[in-house]
Each structure stands twice: as C-alpha cells, then as structure tokens.
Amino acid sequence: MSGWGWFGASLGMIVFWGLIIGAFVLFLRALDRPQPTGPHRAHWAPPSPASPEQLLAERFARGEIDEEEYRRRLQVLRAEGTDLTKH
C-alpha cells in the first residue's frame, strides 16, 4: 500500500469506530429517556373542538353564508351564547 492507502484506511477506521460509538451512545440515551405515562403520554394533543364562532367563520369563509347572515348570527352568538350553555 502507498502512503495514501494507509491514510485512507486510517481515516476509514476512524469513521467506522465513530459511527459505532455514536450509535451506541444514541442507544443508551434512548434507553435512559423516561417513558411518558398517563395523560401526557402522547407528544401531540388532539385538536380541540371548534367554538361556535369559529364554525360560523368557516362557513362564511367557504361562502355558505353571506356577510349579512354572518354578522347577524355572530351577534346572536355573542349576545345569547352564554344563555344557551346553561340549559
């Protein structure tokens, strides 16, 4: 082997052992990580239900209702919305 061959083999050996050690360290860190339990087990939360005002805004954005109807219904929701939930 020439001088460059030894250099390449040495560099390859360093990269090889670096990958092996790195994989081992990542494996140990994964084992050491505490496992989530209870209600916080998932890292994501399901989407919360849309409020009546959000649903109304979506209908307006899709063009299902016009601006006049949107404003009228929004006013009703804001004026009587708290009374509707007491039943």
Side-chain angles (χ1 to χ4, degrees):
M1 238 193 263
S2 69
W4 287 109
W6 285 104
F7 175 73
S10 299
L11 185 62
M13 188 60 69
I14 291 171
V15 169
F16 172 76
W17 283 109
L19 289 173
I20 296 295
I21 292 170
F24 185 70
V25 167
L26 289 176
F27 177 72
L28 289 178
R29 289 180 73 186
L31 289 179
D32 190 38
R33 185 180 316 157
Q35 298 298 320
T37 58
H40 302 292
R41 185 172 193 157
H43 293 281
W44 58 274
S48 60
S51 70
E53 290 183 11
Q54 289 173 329
L55 292 174
L56 186 61
E58 289 174 7
R59 289 188 64 198
F60 177 62
R62 286 192 299 262
E64 295 176 8
I65 57 176
D66 61 357
E67 184 178 356
E68 180 183 335
E69 186 173 358
Y70 170 74
R71 291 188 187 279
R72 183 177 53 80
R73 290 181 180 215
L74 187 61
Q75 183 179 12
V76 169
L77 281 174
R78 289 182 175 166
E80 300 173 7
T82 56
D83 296 335
L84 295 175
T85 58
K86 292 181 180 177
H87 294 173

